[in-house]
Amino acid sequence: EDGITVGELAEMIGQTPANVIKVLFMLGTMVTINSSLTDEQVELICLEYGYEAKKKVVVSEINFEDIEIVDDEADLVGRPPVVTIMGHVDHGKTTLLDYIRKSRVAEGEFGGITQHIGAYQVEVGGKKITFLDTPGHEAFTAMRARGAQLTDIVIIVVAADDGVMPQTKEAVDHALAAGVPIVVAINKIDKEGADPERIKGEMSELGLMPEEWGGDTVYCNISAKKGIGIEELLETLTVVAELADLKANPKRYAYGSVVEGRLDKGRGPVATLLVQNGTLRAGDPIVVGTAFGRVRQMLGDHGKELKEAGPSTPVEITGLNDVPVAGDKFMAFETEKMARHVGEERQKAKQEQDRGVSSAMSLDDLFNQI
Ligand code: GTP
Ligand code: MG
């Protein structure tokens, strides 16, 4: 369609484009400043700003899966890369991250098997990198798929003594599907019988030909346990991240994804979030999946209390009225009223969806509730 654009309408009714985008967002539509609006959308906006509505329109379910609000070029600044570590069970993903963080995550895990996505930020040569750890167990396909979608770079960890295994292949498929750069870390090279060249051969069959063989995939030989090759791996990540030229707008309200949600006896619903754009602040009204509330307490990955968290920062928050599910999207709002409204609409849409009912509702219904 080539109807009136968001920017044009905003100018006509004396509103900022951001306000128009926000109203449409609240009503369940993602638009950018350059999007053309349908007649119905124009009516909705006019109605919101006091113009008379001429006919009923149907508002589809409130959904923010594909947030695409354009940021002003001048507001964009560099952001840390999000790097997801994937691979077959026991190939050393958590040990690698553990070494990088110089802490003891792997030993603290039940049975040494990762059952969630861990999110951490580290500083390498003065530059931050955000890491997501994923489980390699075959049961956690959905988590790996989500991990690949959240990320800028994937590290495929493959144990040199074991070679390409089913979840190695699966992880490569997720990463290729997500279209993100892949770095292969051949791990456990300290072990007897480790044969990195054989691994390169097996990985090439999956489409990841090493640079030194004329392909374009970077390989690093490492031992996560002994700390061999980790510096080179981190340098590689820095180079790949620089090429990607990752940007975000810290000035906007935050949005991003849920890494993990759980119910804590004392603190209530707790959510680990990855801020993908904007800045999240303690006290912000927020919708997380179908839950909502205000960010009551916000902790960084080291358990330190944060007042604000910029793009690519993993945080743990409390203050929600319900436990969100990993993979849910979140978005912060200016007012609690709007967060509550969007949260309740999403809750209702989900309940109806669960019951198999169409979630379409009339504009009258919607405005009766505001
Ligand atoms: P999941 O999270 O269950 O998929 O496993 P993971 O990939 O995170 O593996 P984890 O880091 O828990 O390591 C599995 C086992 O391999 C542990 O006993 C580690 O000590 C061992 N390991 C990891 N890296 C190395 C390495 O470089 N060399 C040797 N020899 N052992 C390693
Ligand atoms: Mg692990």
Side-chain angles (χ1 to χ4, degrees), residues 88-95 106 109 112-114 134-137 187-188 190-191 222-226:
H88 196 73
V89 67
D90 276 351
H91 278 200
K93 300 175 290 296
T94 303
T95 307
E109 288 179 343
I113 286 191
T114 301
T134 64
H137 191 278
N187 190 30
K188 308 198 186 186
D190 59 291
K191 277 195 149 182
I222 65 164
S223 166
K225 199 171 183 175
K226 301 247 161 94

